Amino acid sequence: MRKKGILITGAAGEIGDALIRSLASRDQYQIITLDVRPLPTETSSLVTHIQGDIMDQSMLARLVSEYEIATIYHLAALLSTRAEFTPEAAHKVNVEGTLGLLKLAAEQSQWRGEPVLFIFPSSIAAYGMPDLETKARFPHVREWEWNYPKTMYGCNKLYCELLGIYYSQHFRQLAADRPVMLDFRGVRFPGLISAFTVPSGGTSDYGPEMLHAAAQHLPYECFVSPEACIPFMAMPDAVIALTHLANAPQSALSRRVYNVTSFSLTAAEFKDWVVKYFPDAQISFKPDLKRQGIVDSWPAGLNDNDARRDWSWKPEYDVQRAFSEYLVPNIRNRYQG
Ligand code: AKB
């Protein structure tokens, strides 16, 4: 008998950390995590961690021989800035890694006779606004608009959404009487801000970096201009989005990939919020052409009406509450400790 489990890939990253804490507190299934890195001690005691590469097919085969995977949260990815330095390596991890897991999930769905739930965090990087004037004219982009990503990471995310939809509709049947497909669901996240971890390799990182630097009394040079504007979300809301989408009845879903968002800020407004709580913060602006270009190509805001209607998505943290109740108290605690 295989043990039932939930698999989280890329578990040592920012979303992984928050998701493990949330699932471990209420899920009855065993949580199996996978990452090329070890997990921090605080979360490693909550799960069974496998240190390995999602590209390692024999490791994945061993995994499914031991566990019946009911749900996969596939978080592993090289983020937008890092992916621009090594685009082909990013393609390997982001696309080939996802393809391997989708195939595994599709096969497992047929063996189980029940769909494996495949939850995929996508990104605002799946969009590509052609210029700043168009970005200003479309402040709340819908899921099907401006799907012209400009980064390798954005191309990877958009394509993997399509692969997920493909695998949930077509798969070579292993047996004629078991035409069960996987259940693929994705969310397009804005820039995420955690009080407990600092991001690395992304382009929305300037927001959280500004805040974490200020809390440590460190000067910070922001790599985009004060006018640069994108949507953001506090990490607890990202976990709520993933778990609520996972728990939604399939009959309620009118699409497979949903926008979710919370608040949009320019880099100057982000700085103002940081300075409100850390008045001695030393934040200056020195735009990096390449990273500025990436942020300029992302929408200033998302329309998440479909998520709100279909599975009652609603962020708990607006900008005021995110700073005053989640970010600032926890970050202060972290660095004072
Ligand atoms: C990144 O900056 O690459 C990510 C994202 C917006 O998906 N945080």
Side-chain angles (χ1 to χ4, degrees), residues 3 37 54 69 76 93-94 98 150 156 165 175 184 199 215-216 219 231 289 293 298 330:
K3 291 166 261 178
R37 295 167 291 173
I54 49 166
I69 305 293
V93 174
N94 295 353
T98 304
K150 294 201 175 160
N156 297 163
I165 294 167
F184 177 86
Q216 296 170 84
L289 228 60
W298 291 349
N330 287 309

Side-chain angles (χ1 to χ4, degrees), residues 79-81 122-125 153 157 189-192 201-205 230 298:
L79 298 185
S80 53
T81 292
S122 187
S123 163
I124 45 167
Y153 169 72
K157 284 291 185 192
F189 278 132
L192 301 179
T203 319
S204 62
D205 297 3
I230 55 167
W298 291 349

Side-chain angles (χ1 to χ4, degrees), residues 56-67:
D56 182 346
Q57 294 304 315
S58 59
M59 186 267 298
L60 290 179
R62 278 201 307 281
L63 184 77
V64 293
S65 71
E66 202 174 326
Y67 296 99

Side-chain angles (χ1 to χ4, degrees), residues 127 140-144 186-189 255 257-261 301-308 311 313:
Y127 296 103
H140 304 290
V141 171
R142 303 297 305 255
E143 282 85 350
W144 57 88
V187 273
R188 288 189 185 154
F189 278 132
R255 47 188 322 110
V257 178
Y258 288 87
N259 281 348
V260 287
T261 191
L302 300 176
N303 177 321
D304 59 4
N305 284 354
D306 283 5
R308 288 174 186 260
W311 42 281
W313 156 250

